[in-house]
Amino acid sequence: MKRVVSISLGSSRRDKKVIARFFGEEFSIERIGTDGDKQRFRRLVQELDGTVDAFGVGGCDIYLYAGNRRYVFREPLSLMAGAKKTPFVDGSGLKHTLERETIAWLDENRVVNFSESSVLLMSAVDRFGMAEALAQRARSIVFGDILFGLGLPIPIRSWTTLQRLARLILPIVVRCPFQWFYPTGEKQHQNTPKFPRFFQEADIIAGDYLYISKYMPQQLAGKTVITNTTTPSDVEELKRRGVHRLITTTPVFDGRSFGTNVMEAVLVTLLQKRPEELTPQDYLQKLKELDWKPNVQVLNPQPEACAQAM
Protein backbone atom coordinates (compact mmCIF):
# COMPACT_ATOMS: atom_id res chain seq x y z
CA MET A 1 0.00 0.00 0.00
CA LYS A 2 1.23 3.48 -0.87
CA ARG A 3 1.20 6.06 1.89
CA VAL A 4 0.79 9.82 1.55
CA VAL A 5 0.90 12.08 4.61
CA SER A 6 0.07 15.76 4.70
CA ILE A 7 1.66 17.55 7.66
CA SER A 8 -0.10 20.82 8.32
CA LEU A 9 0.45 23.91 10.46
CA GLY A 10 -3.32 23.93 10.76
CA SER A 11 -5.63 22.66 13.45
CA SER A 12 -5.56 18.99 14.44
CA ARG A 13 -9.37 19.16 14.60
CA ARG A 14 -9.35 18.86 10.80
CA ASP A 15 -7.31 15.62 10.76
CA LYS A 16 -8.51 12.81 8.52
CA LYS A 17 -7.31 9.43 7.25
CA VAL A 18 -8.84 7.50 4.36
CA ILE A 19 -8.03 4.55 2.11
CA ALA A 20 -8.45 5.25 -1.60
CA ARG A 21 -7.70 3.28 -4.77
CA PHE A 22 -6.02 4.64 -7.89
CA PHE A 23 -5.29 2.44 -10.92
CA GLY A 24 -5.94 -0.63 -8.81
CA GLU A 25 -3.47 0.33 -6.07
CA GLU A 26 -4.48 1.22 -2.53
CA PHE A 27 -3.36 4.49 -0.95
CA SER A 28 -3.41 5.47 2.69
CA ILE A 29 -4.02 9.23 2.69
CA GLU A 30 -3.63 11.05 5.98
CA ARG A 31 -3.68 14.65 7.15
CA ILE A 32 -1.94 15.51 10.46
CA GLY A 33 -2.38 19.00 11.91
CA THR A 34 0.22 20.40 14.31
CA ASP A 35 -1.88 23.30 15.67
CA GLY A 36 0.75 25.80 14.55
CA ASP A 37 3.53 24.00 16.44
CA LYS A 38 6.54 24.31 14.14
CA GLN A 39 8.77 22.08 16.29
CA ARG A 40 6.22 19.27 16.16
CA PHE A 41 5.97 19.80 12.40
CA ARG A 42 9.74 19.36 12.04
CA ARG A 43 9.73 16.27 14.28
CA LEU A 44 7.00 14.60 12.23
CA VAL A 45 8.93 15.23 9.02
CA GLN A 46 12.08 13.68 10.51
CA GLU A 47 10.20 10.69 11.97
CA LEU A 48 8.28 9.89 8.78
CA ASP A 49 11.02 10.63 6.26
CA GLY A 50 11.74 7.52 4.22
CA THR A 51 8.70 5.65 5.60
CA VAL A 52 6.07 7.33 3.40
CA ASP A 53 5.88 7.73 -0.37
CA ALA A 54 5.26 11.48 -0.43
CA PHE A 55 4.63 14.39 1.92
CA GLY A 56 2.04 17.08 1.43
CA VAL A 57 2.85 20.40 3.09
CA GLY A 58 -0.39 21.80 4.50
CA GLY A 59 -1.47 24.97 6.24
CA CYS A 60 1.15 27.03 4.42
CA ASP A 61 2.60 27.71 0.99
CA ILE A 62 6.20 27.08 0.02
CA TYR A 63 5.89 28.52 -3.48
CA LEU A 64 4.00 31.55 -4.76
CA TYR A 65 3.73 32.50 -8.42
CA ALA A 66 3.50 35.65 -10.49
CA GLY A 67 3.30 34.69 -14.14
CA ASN A 68 6.23 32.39 -14.86
CA ARG A 69 8.18 33.54 -11.81
CA ARG A 70 8.25 31.37 -8.70
CA TYR A 71 8.99 32.81 -5.25
CA VAL A 72 10.04 30.64 -2.30
CA PHE A 73 8.62 31.21 1.18
CA ARG A 74 11.72 30.69 3.30
CA GLU A 75 10.11 29.72 6.60
CA PRO A 76 7.77 26.96 5.30
CA LEU A 77 10.63 25.53 3.22
CA SER A 78 12.83 25.35 6.32
CA LEU A 79 10.17 23.22 8.05
CA MET A 80 10.85 20.47 5.50
CA ALA A 81 14.61 20.35 6.10
CA GLY A 82 14.24 16.87 7.63
CA ALA A 83 12.85 15.39 4.40
CA LYS A 84 16.04 13.79 3.07
CA LYS A 85 14.44 10.81 1.29
CA THR A 86 10.73 11.46 0.85
CA PRO A 87 9.60 13.99 -1.80
CA PHE A 88 7.33 16.82 -0.67
CA VAL A 89 4.90 19.15 -2.41
CA ASP A 90 2.76 22.07 -1.27
CA GLY A 91 0.04 21.80 -3.90
CA SER A 92 1.28 24.69 -6.05
CA GLY A 93 1.98 22.41 -9.01
CA LEU A 94 -1.57 21.08 -8.93
CA LYS A 95 -3.07 24.52 -8.40
CA HIS A 96 -1.33 25.66 -11.55
CA THR A 97 -2.95 22.84 -13.54
CA LEU A 98 -6.00 21.28 -11.87
CA GLU A 99 -7.57 24.54 -10.71
CA ARG A 100 -7.04 26.21 -14.09
CA GLU A 101 -8.66 23.18 -15.74
CA THR A 102 -11.48 23.20 -13.18
CA ILE A 103 -12.55 26.71 -14.17
CA ALA A 104 -12.39 25.79 -17.86
CA TRP A 105 -14.42 22.60 -17.27
CA LEU A 106 -17.10 24.44 -15.29
CA ASP A 107 -17.38 27.03 -18.06
CA GLU A 108 -17.34 24.62 -21.00
CA ASN A 109 -19.90 22.33 -19.40
CA ARG A 110 -22.14 25.29 -18.50
CA VAL A 111 -22.11 24.49 -14.82
CA VAL A 112 -21.13 28.10 -14.06
CA ASN A 113 -21.80 31.05 -16.35
CA PHE A 114 -18.71 33.10 -15.57
CA SER A 115 -19.42 35.69 -18.28
CA GLU A 116 -22.46 36.85 -16.29
CA SER A 117 -20.87 36.49 -12.85
CA SER A 118 -18.87 38.73 -10.55
CA VAL A 119 -16.10 36.89 -8.67
CA LEU A 120 -14.23 37.45 -5.42
CA LEU A 121 -10.97 35.47 -5.37
CA MET A 122 -9.63 35.62 -1.84
CA SER A 123 -5.96 35.43 -2.85
CA ALA A 124 -4.50 35.17 -6.33
CA VAL A 125 -0.78 34.73 -5.63
CA ASP A 126 -1.25 31.24 -4.16
CA ARG A 127 -3.70 30.29 -6.94
CA PHE A 128 -2.30 31.94 -10.04
CA GLY A 129 -3.73 29.30 -12.38
CA MET A 130 -7.25 29.78 -11.06
CA ALA A 131 -6.78 33.56 -11.00
CA GLU A 132 -5.81 33.73 -14.66
CA ALA A 133 -8.62 31.39 -15.73
CA LEU A 134 -11.19 33.45 -13.82
CA ALA A 135 -9.84 36.76 -15.12
CA GLN A 136 -10.29 35.49 -18.68
CA ARG A 137 -13.92 34.49 -18.13
CA ALA A 138 -15.61 36.49 -15.37
CA ARG A 139 -17.79 39.52 -16.03
CA SER A 140 -15.88 41.23 -13.21
CA ILE A 141 -13.39 40.13 -10.58
CA VAL A 142 -11.90 41.33 -7.31
CA PHE A 143 -8.58 39.87 -6.22
CA GLY A 144 -8.48 40.00 -2.42
CA ASP A 145 -4.71 39.77 -1.88
CA ILE A 146 -4.35 43.25 -0.34
CA LEU A 147 -7.80 43.19 1.28
CA PHE A 148 -7.28 39.97 3.23
CA GLY A 149 -3.52 39.44 3.08
CA LEU A 150 -2.55 42.93 4.25
CA GLY A 151 -5.87 44.12 5.70
CA LEU A 152 -5.95 47.25 3.55
CA PRO A 153 -9.18 48.41 1.84
CA ILE A 154 -7.70 48.15 -1.65
CA PRO A 155 -9.47 45.77 -4.07
CA ILE A 156 -7.51 44.75 -7.15
CA ARG A 157 -9.81 44.59 -10.16
CA SER A 158 -7.32 44.23 -13.02
CA TRP A 159 -5.31 41.17 -14.03
CA THR A 160 -2.51 43.42 -15.31
CA THR A 161 -2.41 45.35 -12.05
CA LEU A 162 -2.33 42.12 -10.07
CA GLN A 163 0.68 40.82 -12.01
CA ARG A 164 2.60 44.05 -11.57
CA LEU A 165 1.88 44.26 -7.84
CA ALA A 166 2.75 40.60 -7.32
CA ARG A 167 6.18 41.06 -8.88
CA LEU A 168 6.82 44.06 -6.65
CA ILE A 169 5.49 42.67 -3.36
CA LEU A 170 6.21 38.92 -3.44
CA PRO A 171 10.01 39.23 -3.06
CA ILE A 172 9.32 40.98 0.26
CA VAL A 173 6.38 38.83 1.38
CA VAL A 174 8.28 35.53 1.12
CA ARG A 175 10.88 36.81 3.60
CA CYS A 176 8.22 37.41 6.29
CA PRO A 177 6.71 34.90 8.77
CA PHE A 178 3.98 32.97 6.97
CA GLN A 179 1.46 33.37 9.81
CA TRP A 180 1.34 37.11 9.14
CA PHE A 181 -0.70 36.35 6.04
CA TYR A 182 -2.52 33.08 6.73
CA PRO A 183 -4.28 31.61 9.80
CA THR A 184 -2.58 28.64 11.47
CA GLY A 185 -3.53 26.42 14.42
CA GLU A 186 -6.67 27.41 16.32
CA LYS A 187 -6.88 30.70 14.43
CA GLN A 188 -8.32 28.64 11.61
CA HIS A 189 -11.52 28.24 13.63
CA GLN A 190 -12.01 31.96 14.28
CA ASN A 191 -14.45 33.82 12.07
CA THR A 192 -13.70 37.55 11.99
CA PRO A 193 -15.68 39.03 9.08
CA LYS A 194 -13.75 41.55 7.03
CA PHE A 195 -14.79 43.69 4.06
CA PRO A 196 -18.27 42.08 3.83
CA ARG A 197 -19.23 44.36 0.91
CA PHE A 198 -17.00 42.43 -1.45
CA PHE A 199 -18.59 39.12 -0.43
CA GLN A 200 -22.07 40.52 -0.94
CA GLU A 201 -21.27 42.03 -4.34
CA ALA A 202 -19.86 38.73 -5.66
CA ASP A 203 -21.87 35.93 -7.26
CA ILE A 204 -18.90 33.55 -6.85
CA ILE A 205 -16.45 33.34 -3.95
CA ALA A 206 -13.31 31.38 -4.74
CA GLY A 207 -10.06 30.38 -3.09
CA ASP A 208 -8.68 28.63 -0.03
CA TYR A 209 -11.52 27.50 2.25
CA LEU A 210 -9.87 28.51 5.52
CA TYR A 211 -9.30 31.99 4.12
CA ILE A 212 -12.95 32.16 3.09
CA SER A 213 -14.24 30.87 6.43
CA LYS A 214 -12.09 33.26 8.44
CA TYR A 215 -13.40 36.40 6.76
CA MET A 216 -16.86 35.53 5.38
CA PRO A 217 -19.97 37.32 6.71
CA GLN A 218 -22.94 35.56 8.29
CA GLN A 219 -25.12 35.76 5.19
CA LEU A 220 -24.03 34.32 1.83
CA ALA A 221 -27.44 33.67 0.31
CA GLY A 222 -27.34 32.49 -3.29
CA LYS A 223 -23.54 32.45 -3.58
CA THR A 224 -21.44 29.83 -5.33
CA VAL A 225 -18.25 28.86 -3.48
CA ILE A 226 -15.33 27.29 -5.38
CA THR A 227 -12.75 25.87 -2.99
CA ASN A 228 -11.38 22.66 -1.42
CA THR A 229 -10.33 21.16 1.97
CA THR A 230 -13.93 21.18 3.19
CA THR A 231 -15.10 18.90 6.00
CA PRO A 232 -18.74 17.84 6.59
CA SER A 233 -19.04 20.53 9.28
CA ASP A 234 -17.72 23.14 6.83
CA VAL A 235 -20.39 22.11 4.35
CA GLU A 236 -23.08 22.46 7.01
CA GLU A 237 -21.78 25.90 7.95
CA LEU A 238 -21.90 27.10 4.35
CA LYS A 239 -25.40 25.70 4.05
CA ARG A 240 -26.45 27.54 7.21
CA ARG A 241 -25.17 30.79 5.76
CA GLY A 242 -27.27 30.33 2.65
CA VAL A 243 -24.66 29.29 0.08
CA HIS A 244 -26.36 27.96 -3.05
CA ARG A 245 -23.58 25.75 -4.46
CA LEU A 246 -20.29 24.37 -3.20
CA ILE A 247 -17.79 23.30 -5.86
CA THR A 248 -14.62 21.55 -4.74
CA THR A 249 -11.66 21.19 -7.06
CA THR A 250 -10.30 18.02 -5.45
CA PRO A 251 -12.09 14.66 -5.02
CA VAL A 252 -14.26 14.00 -1.98
CA PHE A 253 -13.31 10.98 0.15
CA ASP A 254 -15.59 9.98 3.02
CA GLY A 255 -17.16 13.44 3.11
CA ARG A 256 -13.86 15.30 2.97
CA SER A 257 -12.20 17.15 0.09
CA PHE A 258 -8.48 17.13 0.79
CA GLY A 259 -6.13 19.99 -0.05
CA THR A 260 -4.23 20.29 -3.31
CA ASN A 261 -1.02 19.39 -1.45
CA VAL A 262 -2.46 15.95 -0.67
CA MET A 263 -3.64 15.30 -4.21
CA GLU A 264 -0.35 16.51 -5.65
CA ALA A 265 1.48 14.09 -3.35
CA VAL A 266 -0.74 11.29 -4.72
CA LEU A 267 0.16 12.27 -8.28
CA VAL A 268 3.88 12.42 -7.48
CA THR A 269 3.62 8.88 -6.11
CA LEU A 270 1.69 7.64 -9.16
CA LEU A 271 4.10 9.26 -11.61
CA GLN A 272 7.15 7.92 -9.74
CA LYS A 273 9.18 11.06 -10.35
CA ARG A 274 10.68 13.73 -8.16
CA PRO A 275 8.47 16.86 -8.05
CA GLU A 276 11.15 19.00 -9.72
CA GLU A 277 11.10 16.62 -12.71
CA LEU A 278 7.38 16.99 -13.34
CA THR A 279 5.81 19.36 -15.86
CA PRO A 280 2.25 20.73 -16.07
CA GLN A 281 1.69 18.30 -18.94
CA ASP A 282 2.59 15.36 -16.64
CA TYR A 283 -0.03 16.45 -14.13
CA LEU A 284 -2.68 17.09 -16.80
CA GLN A 285 -2.16 13.72 -18.46
CA LYS A 286 -2.49 11.82 -15.19
CA LEU A 287 -5.55 13.85 -14.21
CA LYS A 288 -7.18 12.93 -17.51
CA GLU A 289 -6.39 9.26 -16.92
CA LEU A 290 -7.96 9.50 -13.46
CA ASP A 291 -10.98 11.32 -14.95
CA TRP A 292 -11.10 13.77 -12.06
CA LYS A 293 -13.89 16.33 -12.24
CA PRO A 294 -15.05 19.07 -9.88
CA ASN A 295 -17.50 17.98 -7.22
CA VAL A 296 -20.68 20.10 -7.30
CA GLN A 297 -23.08 20.16 -4.32
CA VAL A 298 -26.29 22.17 -4.20
CA LEU A 299 -26.70 23.30 -0.58
CA ASN A 300 -29.67 25.65 -0.89
CA PRO A 301 -32.05 26.61 -3.70
CA GLN A 302 -31.45 29.96 -5.32
CA PRO A 303 -33.38 32.78 -3.54
CA GLU A 304 -35.26 33.49 -6.79
CA ALA A 305 -36.42 29.86 -6.93
CA CYS A 306 -37.72 30.09 -3.36
CA ALA A 307 -39.65 33.27 -4.17
CA GLN A 308 -41.24 31.68 -7.25
CA ALA A 309 -42.23 28.60 -5.24
CA MET A 310 -44.10 30.82 -2.79
Side-chain angles (χ1 to χ4, degrees):
M1 180 185 294
K2 301 295 185 182
R3 187 183 180 196
V4 165
V5 175
S6 171
I7 304 176
S8 174
L9 281 176
S11 169
S12 58
R13 284 199 261 167
R14 301 178 67 84
D15 285 358
K16 182 76 173 180
K17 183 177 181 179
V18 300
I19 303 298
R21 186 176 290 273
F22 303 101
F23 298 112
E25 185 161 21
E26 282 194 335
F27 275 70
S28 169
I29 302 173
E30 184 175 6
R31 186 265 192 195
I32 304 174
T34 62
D35 299 307
D37 187 335
K38 296 173 187 176
Q39 292 306 315
R40 184 178 176 227
F41 191 113
R42 290 189 175 95
R43 284 197 304 271
L44 283 169
V45 172
Q46 292 174 346
E47 292 168 5
L48 293 172
D49 185 42
T51 69
V52 300
D53 293 279
F55 285 122
V57 182
C60 59
D61 291 314
I62 294 179
Y63 305 112
L64 298 177
Y65 286 85
N68 294 323
R69 301 183 187 181
R70 187 178 77 170
Y71 300 87
V72 181
F73 241 123
R74 295 183 178 183
E75 187 179 33
L77 181 61
S78 72
L79 295 175
M80 299 304 298
K84 306 296 185 183
K85 300 176 182 177
T86 301
F88 60 88
V89 290
D90 69 339
S92 56
L94 198 55
K95 289 175 187 176
H96 223 50
T97 51
L98 173 65
E99 294 191 338
R100 187 188 302 272
E101 289 298 304
T102 294
I103 300 303
W105 187 92
L106 292 171
D107 192 37
E108 291 165 5
N109 287 275
R110 300 182 180 180
V111 178
V112 179
N113 188 348
F114 290 104
S115 65
E116 296 184 4
S117 301
S118 56
V119 177
L120 170 62
L121 178 59
M122 300 298 293
S123 173
V125 294
D126 72 327
R127 283 180 149 76
F128 225 69
M130 177 183 284
E132 185 173 24
L134 287 169
Q136 292 169 346
R137 293 169 172 82
R139 182 189 68 204
S140 65
I141 189 166
V142 170
F143 301 107
D145 298 70
I146 295 179
L147 291 169
F148 306 108
L150 301 179
L152 301 175
I154 305 174
I156 304 171
R157 300 181 185 272
S158 161
W159 175 244
T160 301
T161 300
L162 173 71
Q163 292 181 87
R164 289 173 179 168
L165 283 173
R167 287 169 181 161
L168 286 172
I169 296 174
L170 285 182
I172 300 170
V173 167
V174 294
R175 295 172 182 266
C176 301
F178 182 77
Q179 58 267 29
W180 286 9
F181 308 102
Y182 188 81
T184 59
E186 286 301 306
K187 291 181 180 179
Q188 294 183 342
H189 299 289
Q190 299 171 4
N191 175 231
T192 52
K194 185 179 288 186
F195 303 117
R197 175 169 71 92
F198 297 103
F199 285 89
Q200 299 302 341
E201 291 175 353
D203 302 304
I204 299 167
I205 300 161
D208 180 272
Y209 179 73
L210 292 173
Y211 227 36
I212 294 172
S213 67
K214 182 172 179 62
Y215 298 119
M216 64 185 177
Q218 285 296 318
Q219 287 299 318
L220 293 171
K223 309 298 182 185
T224 291
V225 173
I226 303 177
T227 187
N228 59 18
T229 66
T230 51
T231 66
S233 62
D234 296 331
V235 176
E236 285 303 310
E237 182 60 25
L238 291 173
K239 183 176 182 179
R240 185 185 71 79
R241 296 187 188 224
V243 168
H244 167 49
R245 280 185 306 187
L246 170 63
I247 301 174
T248 51
T249 61
T250 52
V252 175
F253 299 111
D254 193 23
R256 171 68 177 270
S257 63
F258 283 91
T260 50
N261 73 88
V262 178
M263 293 298 103
E264 188 174 356
V266 169
L267 289 178
V268 165
T269 303
L270 288 170
L271 289 162
Q272 297 183 329
K273 292 183 179 179
R274 300 290 300 183
E276 59 271 18
E277 298 172 348
L278 294 171
T279 66
Q281 290 69 34
D282 291 324
Y283 285 118
L284 286 172
Q285 181 58 41
K286 190 56 67 173
L287 288 169
K288 288 178 181 177
E289 292 174 15
L290 289 169
D291 195 29
W292 278 359
K293 293 181 176 64
N295 186 67
V296 182
Q297 299 178 69
V298 176
L299 306 184
N300 291 289
Q302 283 281 36
E304 294 84 355
C306 291
Q308 291 173 5
M310 295 172 65

Short mmCIF file of all heavy atoms in Angstrom, two decimals, residues 226-248:
data_model
loop_
_atom_site.label_atom_id
_atom_site.label_comp_id
_atom_site.label_asym_id
_atom_site.label_seq_id
_atom_site.Cartn_x
_atom_site.Cartn_y
_atom_site.Cartn_z
N ILE A 226 -16.26 28.21 -4.71
CA ILE A 226 -15.33 27.29 -5.38
C ILE A 226 -14.08 27.20 -4.53
O ILE A 226 -13.36 28.18 -4.35
CB ILE A 226 -14.97 27.79 -6.80
CG1 ILE A 226 -16.23 27.97 -7.63
CG2 ILE A 226 -14.02 26.80 -7.48
CD1 ILE A 226 -15.98 28.54 -9.03
N THR A 227 -13.82 26.00 -3.98
CA THR A 227 -12.75 25.87 -2.99
C THR A 227 -12.34 24.41 -2.87
O THR A 227 -12.63 23.58 -3.74
CB THR A 227 -13.23 26.43 -1.63
OG1 THR A 227 -12.14 26.46 -0.71
CG2 THR A 227 -14.37 25.62 -1.05
N ASN A 228 -11.65 24.06 -1.78
CA ASN A 228 -11.38 22.66 -1.42
C ASN A 228 -11.10 22.58 0.08
O ASN A 228 -11.35 23.54 0.81
CB ASN A 228 -10.22 22.07 -2.25
CG ASN A 228 -8.92 22.85 -2.09
OD1 ASN A 228 -8.76 23.62 -1.15
ND2 ASN A 228 -8.02 22.66 -3.02
N THR A 229 -10.62 21.43 0.55
CA THR A 229 -10.33 21.16 1.97
C THR A 229 -11.56 21.36 2.86
O THR A 229 -11.43 21.79 4.00
CB THR A 229 -9.15 21.99 2.51
OG1 THR A 229 -9.49 23.39 2.52
CG2 THR A 229 -7.89 21.77 1.68
N THR A 230 -12.73 21.03 2.38
CA THR A 230 -13.93 21.18 3.19
C THR A 230 -14.26 19.88 3.93
O THR A 230 -14.18 18.79 3.36
CB THR A 230 -15.14 21.58 2.33
OG1 THR A 230 -15.24 20.68 1.22
CG2 THR A 230 -14.99 22.99 1.81
N THR A 231 -14.64 20.02 5.18
CA THR A 231 -15.10 18.90 6.00
C THR A 231 -16.63 18.91 6.00
O THR A 231 -17.26 19.90 5.60
CB THR A 231 -14.59 19.03 7.44
OG1 THR A 231 -15.21 20.20 8.03
CG2 THR A 231 -13.07 19.22 7.47
N PRO A 232 -17.27 17.82 6.49
CA PRO A 232 -18.74 17.84 6.59
C PRO A 232 -19.27 19.01 7.41
O PRO A 232 -20.31 19.60 7.06
CB PRO A 232 -19.05 16.50 7.26
CG PRO A 232 -17.94 15.59 6.79
CD PRO A 232 -16.72 16.48 6.78
N SER A 233 -18.58 19.40 8.48
CA SER A 233 -19.04 20.53 9.28
C SER A 233 -18.90 21.84 8.53
O SER A 233 -19.71 22.76 8.69
CB SER A 233 -18.28 20.60 10.61
OG SER A 233 -16.90 20.80 10.40
N ASP A 234 -17.87 21.95 7.67
CA ASP A 234 -17.72 23.14 6.83
C ASP A 234 -18.90 23.25 5.86
O ASP A 234 -19.44 24.35 5.65
CB ASP A 234 -16.42 23.08 6.02
CG ASP A 234 -15.17 23.09 6.88
OD1 ASP A 234 -15.22 23.67 7.98
OD2 ASP A 234 -14.16 22.52 6.44
N VAL A 235 -19.27 22.12 5.29
CA VAL A 235 -20.39 22.11 4.35
C VAL A 235 -21.67 22.55 5.04
O VAL A 235 -22.45 23.35 4.50
CB VAL A 235 -20.56 20.71 3.72
CG1 VAL A 235 -21.79 20.68 2.81
CG2 VAL A 235 -19.31 20.32 2.93
N GLU A 236 -21.89 22.06 6.25
CA GLU A 236 -23.08 22.46 7.01
C GLU A 236 -23.06 23.94 7.34
O GLU A 236 -24.11 24.60 7.32
CB GLU A 236 -23.18 21.63 8.30
CG GLU A 236 -23.64 20.21 8.07
CD GLU A 236 -24.98 20.14 7.35
OE1 GLU A 236 -25.93 20.82 7.80
OE2 GLU A 236 -25.07 19.42 6.34
N GLU A 237 -21.88 24.48 7.64
CA GLU A 237 -21.78 25.90 7.95
C GLU A 237 -22.10 26.76 6.73
O GLU A 237 -22.81 27.77 6.82
CB GLU A 237 -20.38 26.23 8.47
CG GLU A 237 -20.18 27.69 8.88
CD GLU A 237 -21.10 28.14 9.99
OE1 GLU A 237 -21.56 27.27 10.79
OE2 GLU A 237 -21.37 29.36 10.09
N LEU A 238 -21.59 26.36 5.58
CA LEU A 238 -21.90 27.10 4.35
C LEU A 238 -23.40 27.01 4.03
O LEU A 238 -24.00 28.00 3.60
CB LEU A 238 -21.08 26.55 3.18
CG LEU A 238 -19.57 26.81 3.23
CD1 LEU A 238 -18.87 26.07 2.09
CD2 LEU A 238 -19.25 28.29 3.17
N LYS A 239 -23.97 25.86 4.27
CA LYS A 239 -25.40 25.70 4.05
C LYS A 239 -26.19 26.62 4.98
O LYS A 239 -27.16 27.26 4.56
CB LYS A 239 -25.81 24.24 4.27
CG LYS A 239 -27.28 23.96 4.00
CD LYS A 239 -27.59 22.47 4.15
CE LYS A 239 -29.05 22.19 3.84
NZ LYS A 239 -29.36 20.73 3.97
N ARG A 240 -25.77 26.69 6.23
CA ARG A 240 -26.45 27.54 7.21
C ARG A 240 -26.40 29.01 6.80
O ARG A 240 -27.35 29.78 7.04
CB ARG A 240 -25.82 27.38 8.59
CG ARG A 240 -26.53 28.12 9.71
CD ARG A 240 -25.80 28.01 11.02
NE ARG A 240 -24.57 28.79 11.00
CZ ARG A 240 -24.53 30.12 11.18
NH1 ARG A 240 -25.64 30.81 11.34
NH2 ARG A 240 -23.37 30.76 11.18
N ARG A 241 -25.33 29.40 6.17
CA ARG A 241 -25.17 30.79 5.76
C ARG A 241 -25.83 31.10 4.42
O ARG A 241 -25.76 32.22 3.93
CB ARG A 241 -23.68 31.17 5.71
CG ARG A 241 -23.04 31.11 7.09
CD ARG A 241 -21.62 31.63 7.10
NE ARG A 241 -21.00 31.37 8.40
CZ ARG A 241 -20.26 32.23 9.08
NH1 ARG A 241 -20.03 33.44 8.60
NH2 ARG A 241 -19.72 31.90 10.25
N GLY A 242 -26.47 30.09 3.84
CA GLY A 242 -27.27 30.33 2.65
C GLY A 242 -26.59 30.10 1.33
O GLY A 242 -27.15 30.42 0.27
N VAL A 243 -25.37 29.54 1.34
CA VAL A 243 -24.66 29.29 0.08
C VAL A 243 -25.49 28.38 -0.82
O VAL A 243 -26.05 27.38 -0.37
CB VAL A 243 -23.27 28.66 0.36
CG1 VAL A 243 -22.64 28.12 -0.91
CG2 VAL A 243 -22.36 29.69 1.02
N HIS A 244 -25.58 28.75 -2.08
CA HIS A 244 -26.36 27.96 -3.05
C HIS A 244 -25.61 26.71 -3.48
O HIS A 244 -26.13 25.60 -3.37
CB HIS A 244 -26.68 28.83 -4.27
CG HIS A 244 -27.21 28.05 -5.44
ND1 HIS A 244 -28.25 27.15 -5.34
CD2 HIS A 244 -26.83 28.04 -6.76
CE1 HIS A 244 -28.49 26.61 -6.52
NE2 HIS A 244 -27.64 27.12 -7.39
N ARG A 245 -24.36 26.88 -3.95
CA ARG A 245 -23.58 25.75 -4.46
C ARG A 245 -22.18 25.76 -3.88
O ARG A 245 -21.56 26.81 -3.74
CB ARG A 245 -23.46 25.80 -5.99
CG ARG A 245 -24.64 25.30 -6.74
CD ARG A 245 -24.35 25.28 -8.23
NE ARG A 245 -23.90 26.58 -8.73
CZ ARG A 245 -23.71 26.85 -10.02
NH1 ARG A 245 -23.93 25.91 -10.92
NH2 ARG A 245 -23.31 28.04 -10.40
N LEU A 246 -21.68 24.57 -3.60
CA LEU A 246 -20.29 24.37 -3.20
C LEU A 246 -19.62 23.51 -4.27
O LEU A 246 -20.08 22.40 -4.57
CB LEU A 246 -20.20 23.67 -1.84
CG LEU A 246 -18.81 23.20 -1.42
CD1 LEU A 246 -17.85 24.37 -1.26
CD2 LEU A 246 -18.88 22.38 -0.13
N ILE A 247 -18.54 24.04 -4.84
CA ILE A 247 -17.79 23.30 -5.86
C ILE A 247 -16.38 23.10 -5.34
O ILE A 247 -15.68 24.07 -5.05
CB ILE A 247 -17.76 24.07 -7.20
CG1 ILE A 247 -19.19 24.30 -7.70
CG2 ILE A 247 -16.93 23.31 -8.23
CD1 ILE A 247 -19.27 25.19 -8.94
N THR A 248 -15.97 21.84 -5.20
CA THR A 248 -14.62 21.55 -4.74
C THR A 248 -13.78 21.04 -5.90
O THR A 248 -14.24 20.24 -6.71
CB THR A 248 -14.63 20.52 -3.59
OG1 THR A 248 -15.40 19.38 -3.96
CG2 THR A 248 -15.22 21.14 -2.33
#
